[in-house]
Amino acid sequence: MSTLPIDRRGLLGAGVVVAAALGLAACERKAPVSLAPGVSKADFAGFIAAAKSIVGAEWVAGDAQSVKPWTKKYIPDPGNVHAPVGAVAPASVEEVQELVRIANTYKQPLWPVSTGKNMGYGMTSTAAPGQIVLDLKRMNRILSVDPELCTALVEPGVTYQQLKDYLVENNLPLWIDVPTVGPIASPVGNTLDRGVGYTPYGEHFMVQCGMEVVMPNGDLLKTGMGSTKNPSAWQAFKWGYGPYLDGIFTQSNFGVVTKMGMWLLPAPPVYKPFVVRHKKMEDVSRIVDAMRPLRIANIIPNVVLMMGAGYQLGMFARRAEVWDKPEPVPDEAFEAAAAKVGLGMWNTYFALYGTETMVAESEKIVRAAFEAIGGEVLTEADMVGNPYFHHHATLMQGGLSLEEIGIVRWKGAGGGLAWFAPVAPAKGSETVGQVALAKEILGRHGFDYTVAFAIGSRELHHIIALLYDKSDPADEKRAAECYHDLVTGFGDKGWASYRTGVQAMDLVAQQYGEVNRAVNAAIKQALDPNHIIAPGKSGIA
Amino acid sequence: MRRTVLIAAALVMAGAGTAWAAGQQLGQPLAPRSPEKVYASTCGYCHGTNVGPIILGRHLPAVTVVGMVREGRNAMPAFRPTEISNGELEALSRWVEASAANPQEKGQ
Ligand SMILES: Cc1cc2nc3c(=O)[nH]c(=O)nc-3n(C[C@H](O)[C@H](O)[C@H](O)COP(=O)(O)OP(=O)(O)OC[C@H]3O[C@@H](n4cnc5c(N)ncnc54)[C@H](O)[C@@H]3O)c2cc1C
């Protein structure tokens, strides 16, 4: 393995050649930058030259200066081991196939991204060192939108903004579902990482239908109905025939997805957003128990967020406005600050969709359910001018916004965020232990309890925003240690994450056990014997 | 709603008519976008909503704008040439430098 530290000492010795190949000679950075295991400097240079001939020199970054836009991240990475060593941006499926073939020739691993805005999970950084980002953002065609079936087929680089613009410009009464940060993120990237949004189509992989995948050997696979002689049902029927394959291309490294079908929600005649306010930390258990039957029976049809006061405040306030001590913000301080802006300790956002009568009937049921547990059930009329309510009302109709990114400035200007999202069954009793454990681990490392709970259907996601100041190396180190303790501490109780950042992929995979890992490894070996697609993704080498 | 406001404001500032009237066609890649469109569909969601500082009407040098966009200092994400092309960024940076303030925007 050619792990050569690029620091002043390295430049005096063996590192100099790699440094030159990577264009790092003038780089002050002390962090190690290394090529992937088994990749020589000549291999790396060979790949870069071949890639230039495929996509044009303009679309290849092969040195420290030009790769900079691909190295930005919010996650803690004190050793800077997750930075990519290059980037290549194809414009077509054929170019992707060519790139994958030469990657096999030079054994150069590629890390595919669609729009690369996996913020708080690593953006375009990579799970293991020495990888080149395969940036698919230029492939941004909307290939079809069927207003009758309410479906779309898109390329990886299509942002939610593009899709929304298309629907609006063409007066199509269809809604998209966004993962909070819609303008700069994509249906393909988000769905492949099994992300979520907040309309009735919030579970994105559930409403995905049909894929085109460049396999690690360059073959082109179309899943579902896509490979029949007449693929007209490609976006209509998910399962096709035989083993259902789409799942193995999510959170994995078994192929490069170059097209994806998805379902769009017909705009409902009436949309009515709500928030239920509860005052105390311990209320969350009752909220979950009240919500579960409503979600399972689909009386509340959307993915529901129970926003904690800390997370909510972080969107528009800075920590110093709420609490002036280094110790974690106590519940009372959050409660008081939240009350000042019209929020509770828990703010449960959901919406009703349908005809006037349907919405009115459902409203009676949900009001009764939440008033019975002491919740204040509030609507737009009660929350006029409240920016928090407005934000969630935007999300629950697939609206575009980036304002939630304000949370990354909670602790300081430095911008640090790592998402930790363990899964539990949607039972109130689960929240008791989870809240206590999260506070204990975060508190031990000096971090605040800035979280939300989400209920998709029968499961509960505890969405913990680990907010730190990345401009302070000590805080970054603490954040890395804290994240580790969260994964193992929750993992010991069987609460494993639904998804994680590149800094913890192997650690999270460990929580799912050896047999699971061995099966994934066997599939990897069969499909990608040279391990050129994103080694390390989800702990699969 | 907020988008409409931003776009309207941006168009007024540029003194342009329908700078990006032609939307994306099915099966076609996204055509190069005007500075107004790039601002409204990316920058304006943060700059103007308290996530980032106000950048319009401050005569920020174009070179500063380019550097910030490509590297993303602190809490700002970086934007790669695949997201905002070099051509789009050059026009955007000059447009930001020359822009007037937009009183609708909030930010510190
Ligand atoms: C304030 C804030 C709020 C957020 N809220 C949400 C939220 O509500 N829901 C949510 O889900 N996320 C949320 N995120 C996290 C993240 O920003 C989004 O999930 C975003 O959609 C992911 O980025 P992307 O769409 O650009 O995907 P990408 O970064 O392009 O892709 C993500 C990963 O998927 C894999 N991948 C992508 N494309 C391909 C491909 N074509 N072939 C093979 N593998 C591929 C890669 O491993 C890649 O790293 C939030 C982030 C922030 C900062």
Side-chain angles (χ1 to χ4, degrees), chain A residues 182-308:
Chain A
I184 52 182
S186 55
V188 177
N190 186 274
T191 304
L192 292 180
D193 229 18
R194 295 205 297 265
V196 293
Y198 307 100
T199 77
Y201 282 16
E203 184 63 82
H204 293 157
F205 186 49
M206 211 90 93
V207 292
Q208 174 273 337
C209 195
M211 284 178 187
E212 178 189 85
V213 190
V214 172
M215 299 303 294
N217 65 359
D219 282 357
L220 200 61
L221 167 74
K222 290 184 181 169
T223 66
M225 305 305 287
S227 49
T228 63
K229 288 186 182 127
N230 171 9
S232 55
W234 196 16
Q235 271 61 69
F237 184 60
K238 281 169 73 94
W239 319 121
Y241 176 75
Y244 174 67
L245 293 176
D246 298 48
I248 69 165
F249 299 108
T250 64
Q251 289 192 5
S252 82
N253 49 17
F254 301 152
V256 180
V257 176
T258 46
K259 291 185 180 64
M260 191 191 83
M262 60 193 289
W263 295 343
L264 301 170
L265 182 72
V270 174
Y271 161 67
K272 188 163 184 182
F274 292 82
V275 63
V276 182
R277 223 157 42 192
H278 279 88
K279 292 215 171 63
K280 295 288 167 203
M281 188 59 83
E282 52 275 20
D283 288 332
V284 69
S285 157
R286 292 187 294 165
I287 304 171
V288 170
D289 286 330
M291 186 61 78
R292 182 186 51 251
L294 298 171
R295 277 298 294 121
I296 291 177
N298 227 27
I299 291 167
I300 291 179
N302 66 319
V303 172
V304 166
L305 275 177
M306 286 153 268
M307 297 289 292

Side-chain angles (χ1 to χ4, degrees), chain A residues 134-148:
Chain A
L134 180 60
D135 184 340
L136 304 173
K137 178 68 190 79
R138 291 176 68 212
M139 296 171 60
N140 64 16
R141 294 178 303 160
I142 301 169
L143 296 164
S144 71
V145 173
D146 184 331
E148 290 168 319

Side-chain angles (χ1 to χ4, degrees), chain A residues 114-119 180 186 190 195-196 198 257 499 537:
Chain A
S114 292
T115 38
K117 284 289 177 281
N118 213 1
M119 297 176 287
T180 306
S186 55
N190 186 274
V196 293
Y198 307 100
V257 176
R499 175 182 182 189
K537 174 77 184 179

Side-chain angles (χ1 to χ4, degrees), chain A residues 68-70 72 74 89 115 117 135 137 140-142 161-162 165-166 169 183 318 400 403 408-409 413-414, chain B residues 3 20 23-24 26-30 37 41 45 50-51 70-72 74-78 80 82-83 108:
Chain A
K68 267 198 169 166
W70 285 268
K72 173 73 187 183
Y74 292 152
T115 38
K117 284 289 177 281
D135 184 340
K137 178 68 190 79
N140 64 16
R141 294 178 303 160
I142 301 169
Q161 174 86 49
Q162 268 172 265
D165 284 351
Y166 179 83
E169 282 158 13
R318 307 291 171 247
L400 295 170
E403 59 195 1
V408 309
R409 301 177 64 196
Chain B
R3 210 178 111 246
W20 55 284
Q24 186 173 11
L26 276 192
Q28 297 299 316
L30 189 65
K37 175 61 181 165
S41 59
Y45 284 111
N50 288 325
V51 178
R70 287 291 183 246
E71 289 191 21
N74 285 332
M76 176 163 155
R80 315 180 305 274
T82 50
E83 296 174 277
Q108 10 24 5

